[in-house]
Amino acid sequence: MLTHRWVDIDPIAAGQHPLYGIAGWLPWVLAIAIAGPTWVFWQGLSMDALQLAGADLFDANAPGSGAINLTTLLYLISSVTVLVLATTHDSAFRPAMLVHMALLPPLIGLMLMAGGIPEARSTFIDGVAVAAALTLTCGVYLQASRRVHITFELRDRAPGEHAWFKRQKRAAAG
């Protein structure tokens, strides 16, 4: 039975562990987790939305420019935060990544809807679908990955965990 009991390990031992670092599936998970909200963001900022805001997005009097600027700022802050936490091996990486994947895509649609951007409702629906897909794939990986736990939280599986999975040494026939 899988119980996934995690125990703290020494930082020096974690740094020397073969699973320590950003390798294996983790770079792909990072790329997908950034690409999902990016796709939703660009879907929401279609040409119609940019034309509605006008040529100068920083003009506060242009309709929709505030929502577009705020959405851009939120998107950039969330994406940069996740990447910085990943490269610095910070212990807040996993929770920040889960929040980034689950909340950012629908929030992009909600903010654009609040700003009166055309097609924002479909962006919200796309955002919910992307958030669900990211959480069910990348989120499950982040929760179960031994590499993520060793690298970011300095934790490893408890001794004897998954012992049934390891190959049993067979007695030599004698």
Side-chain angles (χ1 to χ4, degrees), residues 82-99:
V82 164
L83 291 174
V84 166
L85 291 175
T87 56
T88 59
H89 298 176
D90 195 289
S91 63
F93 168 74
R94 193 166 53 94
M97 185 77 152
L98 292 170
V99 167

Side-chain angles (χ1 to χ4, degrees), residues 2-164:
L2 301 175
T3 58
H4 295 296
R5 290 175 289 158
W6 300 97
V7 294
D8 293 337
I9 57 175
D10 182 42
I12 295 171
Q16 295 174 350
H17 198 283
L19 290 177
Y20 185 83
I22 300 174
W25 285 100
L26 190 55
W28 290 102
V29 169
L30 278 167
I32 292 168
I34 296 296
T38 301
W39 181 80
V40 172
F41 180 72
W42 286 112
Q43 288 293 102
L45 295 181
S46 63
M47 291 310 261
D48 294 336
L50 293 176
Q51 287 174 356
L52 176 70
D56 186 12
L57 290 177
F58 298 104
D59 180 12
N61 296 326
S65 65
I68 291 173
N69 290 334
L70 192 59
T71 304
T72 303
L73 185 64
L74 177 70
Y75 164 76
L76 289 174
I77 288 172
S78 181
S79 297
V80 168
T81 299
V82 164
L83 291 174
V84 166
L85 291 175
T87 56
T88 59
H89 298 176
D90 195 289
S91 63
F93 168 74
R94 193 166 53 94
M97 185 77 152
L98 292 170
V99 167
H100 171 82
M101 292 184 305
L103 297 181
L104 183 62
L107 195 56
I108 289 171
L110 281 175
M111 291 176 69
L112 293 176
M113 279 175 43
I117 303 298
E119 305 293 327
R121 184 178 178 135
S122 66
T123 302
F124 174 71
I125 294 168
D126 291 343
V128 169
V130 166
L134 286 174
T135 304
L136 291 174
T137 55
C138 298
V140 169
Y141 171 81
L142 290 174
Q143 290 296 103
S145 171
R146 190 172 169 205
R147 177 180 300 279
V148 170
H149 284 280
I150 290 170
T151 302
F152 298 103
E153 298 172 357
L154 305 176
R155 294 176 155 212
D156 198 3
R157 289 194 180 116
E161 186 78 12
H162 301 294
W164 60 271

